[in-house]
Amino acid sequence: MANFKIPIGPQHPALKEPESFTITLNGETIIEMDMRLGYNHRGIEKACEERSYIQAMYLVERVCGICSHSHSTCFIQAVEEIAGLAIPARAQYIRTIIAELERIHSHLLWLGVAGHEIGFDTLLMYSWRDREVVMDTLAALTGNRVNYGINTIGGVRRDISKEHLAGLLKTMDILEERTKYYIEVASEEITLIQRLSGVGFISHEDTVMLGAVGPTARASGVDRDIRRDDPYLAYKDIEFQVITDTHNDVYGRTLVRVGELMQCYSMIRQLVAKIPEGPVTVKAPRKIPAGEAFSRYEAPRGEDVHYVKANGTDKAERVKIRAPTLANLQSVARMMENNRLADVPIIIAAIDPCFSCTDRMIRINDTAGRRKETISWQALRTHSLEWYRKQGVDFKDLNAKMRQRMKA
Amino acid sequence: MIKPGKMLREVLTSFFQKPATVLYPYVKVLMPDRFRGKIRFLATLCIGCKLCMRDCPTNCITITKVGDKRFQAEFDLDQCIYCAQCVDSCPKKALESTADYELAQLQRNKLKMIYHAEPPPPQAAAPIE
Amino acid sequence: MAWSLFNLLIFPGFLFLFVFGLAMEFVDRKLYARLQNRIGPPWFQPFADFVKLAAKEDIIPEEADSVMFRLMPAFALASVVTAFFYIPLWSTQSLFSFNGDLIVVIYLLTIPTLTFFLAGWHSTSLFSMIGATRTLTQLFAYEVPLFMAILAPALLAGTWSLSEMTVFYDQHPAYAAFNIIGLIVSLIALQGKLERVPFDIPEAETEIVGGTFTEYSGRFLAMFRIAIDIEAVVGASLIAAVFLPFGLGLGAAWGFVFYLVKVLAVIALLALLRTVLARLRIEQMVIFCWRIVAPAALFQLLINLILSGVLRP
């Protein structure tokens, strides 16, 4: 059978967000994979420059729907570093508790998605049912199920009461029992093991070379975790293990994630036991002095990096976000090689991709210096309107029509 | 032991359990008291400092002065992201979150919430007489 | 003539099968949901789905072979309905019967799978063509074990007619216990035939979108869906007739109740099977069928061969 190309995406049931993978197949075997990013570019970095730090924080929180706390904390850390703010210990603990709850929520979500990708919908239903427990806890602690909005510059917005902490411990017991069951299922159910082990193999050397982060890297024996290597928040006060695995495949990534879940429970118990009394916020200035900061954070998907440059006003001059998926995506192409078409969804899902978080624009300077023009917002807008008008779509007209319909 | 049907016992027991599904529109889901839902504006407390307008990430609040110490608030609920930053920013607690989360509307104009100012108190009118 | 038409169109023909098939789809979906701790659909959901699909626009791709595209759903439906007439349901007598109808039924049940292949192939879309090849690959894996598993009881009964087979097992009900391996094998094979987890490889939605039916919509898809529902009922009836020949001599009313219980049990087992397992890869499926299921069926054949020598001198 000759080689042929099959498109997975931009719209495909296996992908929860648009991204284009073109897979060259020989029969059912994958020869190579080509991917195109950028279907979800939202211009968040640029938009941050036009908002005050408080406003930008809520925008950054919405970079990712799952790791919203990761992004907002990472951003806030950078801002607080520039402003020289030392946030109260209790606020640090609350942020850490929310961060770990978010990790539980994210990993349980991943487990369900992985189950669905290999046609094991029962696992999806069960793990998402259990995820509801975490979501409800988060809603009770922060006021929302997804975009927690607990951070503010100089601390956290809401304190956690004693009753909530007690409830949290109970929740951990329920979840720990459920997770133990999932570990049992993952290590005993033959169809699950058959579908996961040996799939999406990537060697330790390649993982390091391609710069994978988070559980993807840890499943290939890369012992790296920002929480331990560069402690932030309250991680230096608590004990935990960095889970690594040497399976180097999707099965290993599953084991790392369920292993991390178990660590999360013990971490939250320690945090609840050690949480100090005191204020949860310090007064923060609106104008952040000039300076720049670089902040790292171990999001559920891997290392999240934010860079903030302040210029003394109440708006940032530059914000740069590198979501963990961008670092992991490079390795997907290598993982795909010599696998079956049937494994494509689970291999992509195994890095726990979050494509809309990843899409950023990069401007490449032509070193030969031939094209060096900067296009202004207004010029770009005019250009795009003109481009669409040539295609037969008139947006000016469209806006007028929209207004008319809204009035009617 | 590696075997097929590891989840067999679990699925059979859950057959006899109550389903986890919530019959949502029929059974109302109650949100915790800290929930950040629709914002309520208490016109009597507003002093018109407009701090909420300044901090709102989506600029969905408009406070207008309609008379002496009387303010009217306008919320674009389709733009609001329910972060409740305005509630935190307000120095007089004139704004508060409610647990109301059923905010979908079929008509867009219904998403514009206008909280009218209180009518002027009668004693304010008294000195003119 | 009128009676035959009644048989053909209403009972136990098309209308009965239509209602029964949809009812069994409901049972399957409800059970699947309850096993997953969900509520599941209301009883009329399969019917509502059917009506909705039937009311939708039919879209035929420009590249597709229009004739084949339209014909295949009708073929699938016709063949499964025909197969039903040869299966004894609540008595030892089927509607039509001749020596050798067992083979005909098995072949009639193969036709839907072939129509899936042809439908997918003639849709000329990448996803449906991959689905079509997978359908065919899978067919070769489960068909042989299914044949052997169903022929083994016939061997013991010494007849190729389903009706005579049930007469034989009705007289010697204890002999049905010898066919337990064949029952298991044919349940697995039926799951493959119905293309459901763990053998839903040809229509694995996360891999190849809709598989063979990617390009299908509207009435044609509705027809395929109803054909699959009826195929499930027919397959379950076949297994009930061959492997569970109990309560056939009790008259029509009791016989019908027994028949319903047997079909429900088979459907429930199939639903349970798809709840607890993950989807296999195509090569794993083929290996599983040839290394485990086929030898098991062969073993059953061997047992029955020896038994028929011992018990029926």
Side-chain angles (χ1 to χ4, degrees), chain A residues 58 141 147-148 158-159, chain B residues 6 14 34 36 56 85 88:
Chain A
Y58 292 109
L141 293 180
N147 292 309
Y148 316 116
R158 290 166 187 220
D159 201 353
Chain B
K6 163 70 195 166
S14 65
R34 287 181 168 195
R36 304 192 307 264
C56 179
Q85 176 60 41
D88 287 9

Side-chain angles (χ1 to χ4, degrees), chain A residues 323-387:
Chain A
T325 305
L326 186 70
N328 280 334
L329 263 180
Q330 321 290 324
S331 56
V332 173
R334 183 62 52 88
M335 293 175 194
M336 288 281 181
E337 283 167 14
N338 297 321
N339 276 288
R340 303 294 179 128
L341 171 65
D343 299 326
V344 170
I346 186 67
I347 293 176
I348 296 175
I351 65 159
D352 206 355
C354 201
F355 297 128
S356 41
C357 320
T358 298
D359 284 346
R360 305 273 165 265
M361 205 198 67
I362 297 173
R363 181 159 150 258
I364 298 166
N365 275 328
D366 193 342
T367 42
R370 281 189 296 275
R371 289 186 63 182
K372 247 188 185 173
E373 50 177 327
T374 317
I375 193 160
S376 74
W377 269 117
Q378 200 51 48
L380 187 68
R381 191 178 143 76
T382 327
H383 173 78
S384 66
L385 284 176
E386 192 61 23
W387 191 86

